[in-house]
């Protein structure tokens, strides 16, 4: 009926145009994030007049008298938008609406939790969804930086000099998080954060996050959780989008997206991201750059091919190049690899290919594949780290519905090649590259027990060519108590093969030597997760959404870095006893009738490992760089008359244990409470193509203490005295027995700064 009504309305508007009627008309298109919103609603406030958009998002209001109208466009899952329109007699206006998606919409269709499209409310697995609208509240040049505003997810810097980092989820370090692009495990251990660098914002449709093990579907790396970056469908993207931003620190970021249609069946979306920061700043006066200097280029292209019966076929590729360095202020490329002036210089080249092909058979069968090659050319002072990694992945899934059972069966094969210049791939007389084959089979049964209850059962079997069989079962149960209350229970196991040299390359090639005390066994864990969602609709259109989760993960074996035993070493060994990560996380999504929107979250985490002390008693300790309390927020308000948006975002982190170098180290063992807060003003052209935004980042100007780098005046340890056992001997010029070390890091060194940006799109 809506489509028929729209067709009739458009036809009538044409008749009025031909015969020159005096009545006015308003027509336009309703979109969100460059994509049409079919069947959205448009109403004239204070009247009973309105219309529904057609399947392409177009609407028309006709037979309008001259006057001023308040037009309101709305659709489920989007924030309503009101515009004031002044219509003259007989005038025909074009008014377009670009709606903002609710940042954490419950009605969102998700795929990450179950490997198939499912309504988020119906999914037995809790999935958090974040759209580009959410990340625009605090614009950043990379998704890595943007995740600082997601509750329970923390970007962690691991080195004060080179700024290498990873992503922590619920207190677990980066290697426990699997990063996907369009569902493909494209990001390897060597390049965990590079999957979040250089993906053009113009390519991103949404980001889905699953917290907790998902090994039964995605394999052994998905112990802590998943971050799945979903890119846009080229056929629905805008012809052109440009986003340019700079900061008072002279950082420059350019993001361009372009859609091209080749005939009726091929659509191509190209995204280019370029980031440059080339100004050495030393505000803490330690002689080292506060932030690494970077020159990064990323090109991403996605092809979509229309096939018979709407079968899927898409290809995507990405190339990334980065030149990044940090070090002493007088460092220059001529010093690279030498011992005159200390610098850490990283050249990175990375290629990625992703494909999805639905088989031309009656059954719903999908073949997905990916390939990536990563080349790292690094020097940490005079220590080289040269590494090459290649990963090929293929997966075939069969989706089959049998009465109340929604079955998913699949087989996967992953090949990993890794080679570097460290002892990881060296024998006594020659270099031996590490090659690993990982074939696997998995099955999942999503059972509709009743209209309000679902049970998901899954299991996966993998065979690691180095470690043998891996079995990971999974269970998820969801009950809809009523329309506004949902309860989910998830349980499963985790399994991860540790590859230290692809995860700890910054630390191990810098100031510390890696010591592997014994043959390391795979990590194994058991997880229990309870999730509760409540929706509350208040008077006058206000809404409150509550999403609370409690989790408990128990490791029977965990490989943790030991920074404490020897200040010059990172020691790895199997855990004698056990380790636990557990906690509670709460997210609030509120919309008030006065137009104020608030997204806020908080987490309490208790992360510890137990080991036997010298007397054989179990002693519980918290790992380094693990906080107990975190909080995030985003408060937004739009002044409709001015088309002006205001966003106040921030995060708060509790104290975490830091890696000291010795008992004499004078630095604090625990970090303080700290917070990064930002304010942004954005103006969007009414019905137009321009948006201007700007504001201030790190309002409180928080930076860690200036002594974060130990002995920055002696980076090559020339004046350090070592004893016969390799221990540091205190001397008059080194009374605390320290060595050069950049690992005492918990927060960015970058202080307060302004930013200004412009966005332009062609509808």
């Amino acid at each position: 009926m809506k489509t028929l009504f729209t067709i009739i309305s458009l036809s009538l508007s044409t008749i009025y145009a031909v015969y020159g009627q005096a009545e006015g008309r308003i027509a336009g298109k309703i979109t969100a994030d460059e994509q049409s919103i079919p069947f959205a609603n448009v109403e004239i406030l204070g009247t009973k007049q309105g219309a529904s958009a057609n399947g392409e998002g177009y609407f028309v209001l006709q037979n309008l008298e001259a006057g001023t109208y308040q037009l309101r466009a709305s659709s489920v899952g989007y924030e309503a938008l009101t515009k004031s329109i002044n219509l003259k007699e007989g005038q025909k206006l074009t008014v377009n609406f670009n709606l903002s998606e609710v940042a954490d919409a419950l009605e969102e269709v998700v795929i990450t939790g179950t490997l198939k499209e499912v309504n988020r409310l119906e999914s037995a697995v809790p999935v958090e969804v974040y759209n580009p609208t959410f990340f625009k509240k605090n614009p950043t040049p990379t998704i890595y930086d943007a995740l600082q505003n997601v509750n329970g997810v923390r970007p962690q810097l691991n080195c004060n000099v080179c700024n290498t980092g990873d992503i922590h989820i619920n207190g677990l370090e980066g290697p426990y998080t699997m990063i996907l692009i369009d569902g493909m495990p494209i990001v390897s251990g060597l390049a965990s954060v590079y999957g979040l660098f250089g993906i053009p914002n113009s390519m991103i449709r949404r980001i889905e996050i699953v917290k907790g093990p998902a090994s039964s579907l995605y394999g052994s790396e998905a112990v802590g959780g998943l971050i799945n970056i979903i890119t846009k469908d080229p056929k629905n993207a805008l012809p052109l989008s440009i986003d340019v931003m700079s900061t008072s620190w002279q950082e420059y970021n350019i993001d361009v997206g372009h859609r091209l249609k080749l005939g009726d069946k091929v659509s191509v979306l190209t995204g280019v991201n370029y980031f440059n920061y080339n100004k050495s700043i030393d505000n803490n006066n330690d002689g080292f750059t506060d932030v690494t200097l970077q020159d990064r280029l990323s090109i991403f292209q996605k092809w979509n091919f229309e096939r018979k019966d709407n079968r899927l076929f898409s290809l995507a590729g990405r190339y990334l190049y980065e030149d990044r360095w940090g070090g002493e202020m007088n460092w220059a490329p001529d010093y690279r690899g030498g011992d005159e002036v200390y610098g850490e210089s990283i050249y990175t080249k990375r290629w990625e290919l992703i494909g999805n092909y639905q088989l031309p058979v009656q059954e719903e069968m999908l073949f997905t594949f990916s390939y990536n090659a990563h080349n790292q050319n690094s020097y940490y002072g005079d220590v080289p780290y040269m590494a090459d990694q290649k990963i090929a992945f293929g997966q075939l899934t069969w989706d089959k519905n049998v009465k109340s059972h929604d079955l998913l069966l699949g087989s996967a094969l992953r090949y990993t090649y890794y080679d570097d210049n460290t002892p990881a791939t060296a024998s006594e007389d020659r270099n031996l590259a590490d090659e690993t084959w990982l074939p696997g089979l998995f099955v999942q049964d999503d059972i509709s027990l009743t209209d309000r209850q679902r049970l998901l059962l899954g299991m996966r079997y993998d065979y690691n060519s180095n470690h043998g069989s891996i079995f990971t079962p999974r269970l998820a149960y969801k009950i809809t108590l009523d329309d506004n209350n949902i309860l989910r229970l998830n349980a499963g196991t985790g399994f991860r093969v540790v590859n230290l040299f692809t995860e700890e390359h910054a630390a191990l090639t810098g100031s510390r030597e890696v010591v592997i005390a014994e043959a390391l066994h795979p990590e194994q864990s058991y997880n229990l997760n309870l999730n509760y969602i409540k929706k509350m609709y208040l008077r006058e259109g206000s809404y409150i959404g509550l999403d609370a989760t409690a989790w408990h993960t128990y490791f029977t074996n965990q490989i943790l870095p030991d920074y404490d035993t020897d200040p010059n070493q990172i020691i790895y060994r199997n855990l004698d006893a056990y380790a636990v990560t557990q906690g509670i996380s709460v997210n609030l999504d509120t919309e008030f009738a006065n137009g104020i929107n608030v997204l806020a979250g908080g987490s309490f985490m208790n992360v510890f490992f137990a080991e036997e002390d010298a007397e054989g008693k179990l002693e519980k300790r918290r790992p380094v760089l693990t906080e107990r309390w975190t909080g995030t927020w985003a408060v937004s308000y739009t002044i409709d008359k001015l088309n002006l948006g205001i966003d106040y975002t921030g995060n708060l982190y509790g104290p975490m244990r830091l890696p000291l170098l010795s008992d004499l180290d004078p630095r604090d063992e625990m970090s303080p409470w700290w917070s990064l807060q930002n304010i942004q003003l954005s103006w969007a052209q009414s019905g137009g193509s321009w948006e201007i935004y700007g504001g201030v980042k790190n309002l409180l100007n928080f930076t860690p203490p200036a002594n974060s780098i130990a002995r920055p005046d002696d980076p090559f340890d020339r004046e350090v005295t070592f004893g016969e056992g390799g221990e540091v001997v205190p001397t008059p010029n080194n009374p605390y027995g320290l060595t050069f070390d950049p690992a005492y890091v918990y927060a960015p060194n970058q202080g307060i700064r302004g930013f200004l940006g412009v966005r332009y799109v062609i509808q």
Side-chain angles (χ1 to χ4, degrees):
M1 287 298 293
K2 290 181 179 179
T3 304
L4 179 61
F5 174 78
T6 304
I7 293 174
I8 294 173
S9 299
L10 290 172
S11 300
L12 289 174
S13 68
T14 303
I15 294 173
Y16 275 96
V18 172
Y19 289 98
Q21 299 295 322
E23 289 83 357
R25 184 192 73 173
I26 298 176
K29 187 176 183 181
I30 304 174
T31 61
D33 188 32
E34 307 173 7
Q35 300 194 43
S36 303
I37 304 178
F39 312 120
N41 298 313
V42 178
E43 59 181 317
I44 301 177
L45 297 181
T47 73
K48 296 183 178 180
Q49 289 182 275
S52 294
N54 66 9
E56 297 298 323
Y58 291 100
F59 73 93
V60 61
L61 294 165
Q62 58 185 8
N63 299 335
L64 301 177
E65 298 179 355
T68 300
Y69 297 96
Q70 296 291 321
L71 265 62
R72 183 178 186 269
S74 61
S75 184
V76 174
Y78 300 87
E79 297 178 3
L81 179 61
T82 301
K83 292 186 178 182
S84 181
I85 306 299
N86 186 18
L87 184 68
K88 299 179 181 179
E89 185 177 355
Q91 188 177 15
K92 298 175 178 60
L93 287 180
T94 298
V95 179
N96 297 319
F97 288 88
N98 185 25
L99 303 187
S100 298
E101 295 185 70
V102 177
D104 197 16
L106 294 176
E107 293 81 7
E108 183 78 56
V109 172
V110 296
I111 63 172
T112 304
T114 59
L115 269 181
K116 62 174 69 179
E117 289 192 354
V118 60
N119 186 288
R120 186 184 171 214
L121 286 176
E122 297 298 322
S123 173
V125 179
V127 180
E128 295 182 14
V129 180
Y130 296 91
N131 297 303
T133 301
F134 174 81
F135 297 113
K136 286 180 180 178
K137 296 176 186 293
N138 177 32
T140 59
T142 69
I143 295 299
Y144 171 82
D145 295 316
L147 290 173
Q148 65 183 277
N149 287 328
V150 176
N151 183 28
V153 178
R154 182 170 65 86
Q156 167 62 46
L157 289 177
N158 294 324
C159 176
N160 269 306
V161 179
C162 65
N163 284 180
T164 296
D166 58 31
I167 296 293
H168 289 207
I169 293 183
N170 286 347
L172 288 175
E173 295 182 340
Y176 295 96
T177 299
M178 175 175 278
I179 298 174
L180 312 171
I181 300 178
D182 286 337
M184 293 290 95
I186 199 73
V187 180
S188 56
L190 178 62
S192 59
V193 296
Y194 285 101
L196 302 172
F197 282 175
I199 296 180
N201 293 326
S202 57
M203 301 288 293
I204 297 174
R205 178 75 178 93
R206 66 181 182 272
I207 294 178
E208 299 178 0
I209 299 176
V210 175
K211 298 173 183 176
S215 300
S216 64
L217 282 184
Y218 292 94
S220 62
E221 285 86 355
V223 175
L226 295 168
I227 298 175
N228 191 4
I229 301 170
I230 310 294
T231 61
K232 293 177 181 176
D233 186 337
K235 66 181 180 181
N236 295 325
L238 286 178
L240 179 67
S241 64
I242 301 173
D243 189 343
V244 179
M245 184 179 75
S246 64
T247 73
S248 57
W249 276 50
Q250 298 184 26
E251 299 164 291
Y252 302 99
N253 187 73
I254 301 175
D255 196 274
V256 179
H258 176 255
R259 185 202 66 197
L260 177 66
K261 289 191 175 182
L262 302 177
D264 296 332
K265 296 185 179 298
V266 181
S267 301
V268 184
L269 180 60
T270 303
V272 178
N273 174 259
Y274 177 70
F275 177 79
N276 179 270
Y277 172 62
N278 197 33
K279 183 179 180 180
S280 298
I281 295 178
D282 181 23
N283 286 339
N284 62 8
N285 298 314
D286 64 357
F288 278 68
T289 54
D290 290 343
V291 179
T292 58
L293 282 69
Q294 301 177 52
D295 193 24
R296 182 176 64 244
L297 173 67
S298 176
I299 302 174
F300 196 119
Q301 191 170 79
K302 186 175 183 179
W303 293 61
N304 187 80
F305 304 88
E306 294 191 22
R307 300 170 57 211
K308 184 179 178 181
D309 298 327
N310 292 321
R311 291 192 177 98
L312 175 65
F313 180 31
S314 67
L315 286 172
R318 182 169 74 123
Y319 169 75
L320 181 141
Y321 172 78
E322 184 182 55
D323 177 1
R324 173 167 51 103
W325 76 269
E328 295 185 88
M329 292 291 288
N330 60 333
W331 187 89
D334 291 343
Y335 294 110
R336 191 173 195 262
D339 60 359
E340 296 179 59
V341 179
Y342 188 88
E344 298 186 359
S345 171
I346 298 99
Y347 298 156
T348 299
K349 294 180 181 179
R350 183 172 176 83
W351 300 264
E352 299 168 352
L353 176 67
I354 304 171
N356 294 272
Y357 180 77
Q358 188 175 349
L359 273 59
V361 295
Q362 185 175 357
E363 297 292 336
E364 190 172 341
M365 302 184 72
L366 182 67
F367 177 65
T368 56
F369 56 91
S370 65
Y371 173 80
N372 71 77
H374 185 103
N375 181 267
Q376 190 104 351
N377 181 321
S378 309
Y379 275 94
Y380 298 82
D382 57 353
V383 179
Y385 176 71
M386 309 295 169
D388 183 34
Q389 187 168 42
K390 300 178 179 67
I391 298 179
F393 175 82
Q395 180 172 274
L396 179 65
T397 58
W398 177 29
D399 193 352
K400 181 70 173 179
N401 290 306
V402 182
K403 295 184 179 180
S404 61
H405 297 262
D406 190 355
L407 293 168
L408 182 72
L409 296 92
S411 61
L413 176 64
R414 182 187 304 186
Y415 168 76
T416 302
Y417 170 91
Y418 175 75
D419 189 19
D420 65 19
N421 64 318
T422 74
T425 57
S427 62
E428 294 182 359
D429 55 350
R430 61 192 179 97
N431 192 67
L432 293 174
D434 181 57
E435 297 183 79
T436 304
W437 291 90
L438 188 67
L441 299 170
F442 58 89
V443 60
Q444 175 181 275
D445 187 5
D446 192 350
I447 309 167
S448 297
L449 300 176
T450 67
D451 291 340
R452 293 184 176 273
Q453 297 184 72
R454 300 183 74 94
L455 176 65
L456 185 146
L457 302 174
M459 64 180 68
R460 182 182 181 109
Y461 172 79
D462 291 288
Y463 184 83
N464 186 288
S465 58
N466 295 326
H467 294 279
S469 298
I470 305 170
F471 179 68
T472 49
R474 177 193 199 190
L475 177 148
Y477 171 74
K478 180 188 79 75
I479 180 170
T480 303
L481 303 175
D482 55 43
D483 291 342
N484 297 323
N485 293 272
I486 299 173
L487 191 65
R488 294 182 174 96
L489 177 67
N490 281 238
T493 63
F495 185 98
R496 191 177 78 93
V497 176
V498 179
N499 190 336
L500 302 178
F501 286 81
T502 63
E503 297 165 358
E504 300 286 354
H505 64 275
L508 67 90
T509 58
S511 60
R512 295 183 182 229
E513 174 192 3
V514 164
V515 175
I516 303 175
E518 58 189 350
L520 300 179
H521 304 306
E523 297 183 335
Q524 298 187 57
S525 65
Y526 300 88
N527 174 265
L528 188 67
N529 181 301
L530 182 64
N531 174 254
Y532 173 62
I533 287 180
K534 183 175 182 61
K535 298 183 290 181
M536 293 172 279
Y537 297 93
L538 310 179
R539 293 181 179 180
E540 300 179 353
S542 296
Y543 165 81
I544 297 178
L546 171 70
D547 188 337
T549 301
W551 76 91
H552 178 88
T553 302
Y554 180 91
F555 287 88
T556 58
N557 183 45
Q558 190 177 28
I559 311 300
L560 296 171
D562 177 4
Y563 289 88
D564 303 322
T565 302
D566 189 318
N568 293 309
Q569 296 179 340
I570 305 176
I571 302 173
Y572 290 92
R573 59 172 64 89
N574 296 303
L575 192 62
D576 293 333
Y578 64 92
V580 169
T581 172
Q582 58 190 0
I584 299 175
S585 175
V586 178
N587 288 321
L588 284 176
D589 178 4
T590 61
E591 299 180 22
F592 297 104
N594 60 7
I596 296 177
N597 295 334
V598 179
L599 290 171
S603 296
F604 168 74
M605 296 175 290
N606 182 22
V607 181
F608 64 88
F609 62 93
E611 280 191 315
E612 293 184 357
D613 59 17
E615 299 176 356
K617 297 180 180 180
L618 283 181
E619 180 185 9
K620 295 181 180 179
R621 299 188 65 189
R622 195 199 318 184
V624 297
L625 300 177
T626 303
E627 70 280 8
R628 288 194 172 174
W629 296 94
T630 67
T632 60
W633 64 86
V635 182
S636 302
Y637 179 72
T638 300
I639 304 175
D640 293 328
K641 293 182 179 180
L642 302 177
N643 293 329
L644 182 68
I646 304 172
D647 296 293
Y648 170 51
T649 59
N651 50 53
L652 177 67
Y653 299 110
M656 60 187 74
R657 192 167 72 89
L658 303 175
L660 298 181
L661 293 179
S662 69
D663 294 337
L664 300 176
D665 196 327
R667 298 175 296 180
D668 292 333
E669 182 182 8
M670 303 296 292
S671 67
W673 286 83
W674 60 283
S675 176
L676 300 178
Q677 301 179 25
N678 322 284
I679 190 75
Q680 174 185 248
L681 300 179
S682 58
W683 174 84
Q685 183 184 17
S686 179
S689 301
W690 292 93
E691 182 180 2
I692 301 173
Y693 60 94
V696 179
K697 291 180 178 292
N698 197 357
L699 283 166
L700 304 180
N701 195 27
F702 175 82
T703 55
N707 61 357
S708 293
I709 299 178
R711 292 185 60 81
D713 55 336
D714 185 21
F716 295 100
D717 289 340
R718 291 190 175 95
E719 298 181 12
V720 176
T721 302
F722 296 94
E724 295 182 358
E727 72 280 3
V728 180
V729 178
T731 59
N733 67 346
N734 185 18
Y736 301 113
L738 305 181
T739 58
F740 172 75
D741 186 74
Y744 185 91
V745 57
Y746 58 91
N749 278 319
Q750 196 169 23
I752 189 171
R753 59 203 181 278
F755 67 95
L756 180 66
V758 177
R759 298 187 183 102
Y760 175 76
V761 298
I762 294 180
Q763 300 288 341

